[in-house]
Amino acid sequence: QVQLVESGGGLVQAGGSLRLSCVVSGRYFSNYAMGWFRQAPGKEREFAAAISWSGGTKHYADSVKGRFTISRDNAKNTVYLQMNSLKPEDTAVYVCAAAVAYGGTYHRIAEYDYWGQGTQVTVSS
């Protein structure tokens, strides 16, 4: 069973930065596309960022483009989300996910096969 464990969340002031990490168990991490989603209280889970298996293709939601950077280290089975210029509206539980199939846009929840439990990010004004 593939397990995903996120870390790096916390409380930060507006304008600050955080770096999230997600470690994936198993031998096949380099075969997965990876994504970060977030869910604020009372709202649906939404796409934030995704990265292809090689790291060569990245996608971002408009709301985070220019502020967040997704990256991966296949030797460490880890995907990262560097979050800069944080805003109070970025407050959410951030969840990483792994997609087995190739060729998707990786924006949709249904494209992902494995999910972590999430890490809380709180941005104070």
Side-chain angles (χ1 to χ4, degrees):
Q1 181 69 14
V2 178
Q3 293 185 323
L4 291 74
V5 179
E6 302 94 336
S7 61
L11 173 63
V12 63
Q13 288 188 332
S17 298
L18 283 173
R19 187 194 196 203
L20 305 184
S21 299
C22 173
V23 179
V24 181
S25 68
R27 302 167 54 188
Y28 302 108
F29 174 76
S30 60
N31 292 349
Y32 303 145
M34 297 297 299
W36 285 97
F37 289 75
R38 64 186 186 181
Q39 187 164 15
K43 295 188 176 181
E44 293 185 351
R45 185 170 292 186
E46 64 175 12
F47 168 77
I51 188 168
S52 63
W53 64 272
S54 68
T57 301
K58 301 176 184 180
H59 298 279
Y60 298 95
D62 288 343
S63 58
V64 308
K65 199 172 294 182
R67 300 187 299 122
F68 290 11
T69 301
I70 189 170
S71 62
R72 66 189 297 158
D73 185 338
N74 286 347
K76 295 182 178 180
N77 279 25
T78 302
V79 62
Y80 304 98
L81 187 67
Q82 177 68 43
M83 305 186 297
N84 298 329
S85 302
L86 282 162
K87 305 175 182 180
E89 51 264 43
D90 293 320
T91 295
V93 174
Y94 283 71
V95 184
C96 71
V100 175
Y102 290 116
T105 63
Y106 304 117
H107 290 208
R108 297 181 297 116
I109 291 172
E111 295 182 275
Y112 291 85
D113 301 279
Y114 306 107
W115 293 84
Q117 293 298 309
T119 185
Q120 176 70 47
V121 171
T122 303
V123 184
S124 63
S125 57

